[in-house]
Amino acid sequence: MTSLSKRYGSERVALKDINLAFGKGLFGLLGPNGAGKSTLMQIMATVMPPTGGTVEYGSYRIGKNDHEIRRILGYLPQRLGLYDKLTGEEFLNYIALLKGMKDSAARRIKVLEMLERVNLQDKARRKIKTYSGGMKQRIGIAQALIGDPQVMIVDEPTAGLDPEERIRFRDLLEELGLERTILISTHIVADIETSCNALAVMNKGEMVYQGTIPQLLKKV
Ligand code: ADP
Ligand code: ADP
């Protein structure tokens, strides 16, 4: 991405001249609340346009090739939305339908595969509102994985998880990061310390550091 900026209204500057590049593997986006992480991720996920600058995925550019980008992208927003009354299976079936999978038999296979991938096959027929925090995040990953994205954007995935769920969730992301690019935002260093290949640190809408974790720790 190049010189990305975002203002909310005429006053609040949420992003200032952000430049960022990343390849395959896990990439951490670290920063306190209000740093601009969610804003950056929403722009990258084509949910919201930037005020200035651009984001490119290969030859695709946001604002111009959004349709194509959504096909190669999986996004887990900070709050998954209002699907609590659906079962895990119904929810994933619905997302598969939204992604354009018209064949119901193919959808069933895909949904089962995703449920197994995040180890929720036993909870397929339970309503999402009965899931634990960790289970909700895993169904969130499952929906982001439908369509086999090359890039996943995961916003504060460990918020509200207990320590054990945190570790399991991190292991899942590490496994998924072997095959694709995953961008994870967090305000907790421990979440990304051992698993991310590289990280960027944001504060007040600015990118204050980019590099590896050992390099960062040497600096402080
Ligand atoms: P983070 O994800 O790092 O906590 P955000 O991107 O959510 O940061 O927020 C960055 C700044 O932009 C904050 O000051 C926040 O209050 C502001 N902000 C975020 N979303 C909106 C919005 N929809 N309207 C106005 N201000 C917003
Ligand atoms: P975060 O942890 O990312 O800062 P928040 O709880 O601040 O999340 O924001 C939740 C939602 O509210 C987001 O969609 C964000 O864009 C929006 N939001 C955040 N700050 C403001 C604001 N000052 N005015 C309007 N919407 C906001």
Side-chain angles (χ1 to χ4, degrees):
M1 79 189 58
T2 319
S3 302
L4 205 68
S5 66
K6 179 72 185 178
R7 251 180 294 125
Y8 288 108
S10 57
E11 297 264 305
R12 196 185 293 265
V13 178
L15 295 179
K16 248 184 270 180
D17 194 24
I18 304 287
N19 297 282
L20 198 62
F22 39 87
K24 217 174 184 180
L26 260 60
F27 191 97
L29 189 61
L30 186 68
N33 276 334
K37 306 182 297 296
S38 284
T39 299
L40 181 62
M41 289 183 144
Q42 288 174 58
I43 294 170
M44 290 181 69
T46 75
V47 173
M48 172 173 81
T51 311
T54 188
V55 181
E56 281 164 357
Y57 295 92
S59 59
Y60 298 146
R61 181 184 280 246
I62 56 157
K64 200 172 156 208
N65 313 105
D66 288 356
H67 191 70
E68 290 84 354
I69 290 170
R70 282 172 201 146
R71 264 197 243 133
I72 60 156
L73 200 81
Y75 175 44
L76 177 52
Q78 213 171 353
R79 285 171 201 76
L80 204 47
L82 310 163
Y83 302 107
D84 267 24
K85 287 188 181 139
L86 300 183
T87 66
E89 197 173 32
E90 287 164 348
F91 173 52
L92 294 183
N93 181 58
Y94 172 65
I95 298 294
L97 204 54
L98 285 186
K99 293 255 174 189
M101 295 185 68
K102 294 201 181 86
D103 182 69
S104 67
R107 273 204 313 279
R108 275 188 74 81
I109 292 167
K110 188 70 180 178
V111 166
L112 269 176
E113 186 193 328
M114 291 299 107
L115 285 165
E116 277 169 18
R117 190 78 204 257
V118 299
N119 200 21
L120 281 175
Q121 60 275 31
D122 297 345
K123 311 286 179 198
R125 303 273 163 88
R126 299 263 183 91
K127 288 192 167 139
I128 292 174
K129 68 177 172 199
T130 68
Y131 286 12
S132 70
M135 284 159 59
K136 280 183 183 157
Q137 288 304 66
R138 280 186 277 140
I139 201 80
I141 286 290
Q143 65 81 29
L145 267 177
I146 290 179
D148 200 16
Q150 292 160 34
V151 181
M152 283 179 81
I153 295 177
V154 189
D155 197 353
E156 293 261 3
T158 57
L161 301 193
D162 66 36
E164 197 185 316
E165 287 176 331
R166 237 168 239 269
I167 291 166
R168 285 179 65 184
F169 195 70
R170 195 187 59 203
D171 291 348
L172 173 63
L173 287 177
E174 276 179 26
E175 189 191 314
L176 297 173
L178 298 174
E179 302 153 33
R180 51 180 67 79
T181 299
I182 307 186
L183 183 64
I184 308 163
S185 76
T186 181
H187 58 276
I188 304 165
V189 188
D191 273 356
I192 54 171
E193 211 172 357
T194 53
S195 44
C196 285
N197 316 74
L199 91 164
V201 184
M202 289 180 73
N203 191 26
K204 295 183 178 155
E206 295 189 75
M207 200 60 83
V208 292
Y209 176 80
Q210 260 185 79
T212 64
I213 302 203
Q215 281 165 356
L216 176 67
L217 294 178
K218 247 185 245 164
K219 281 188 130 191
V220 290

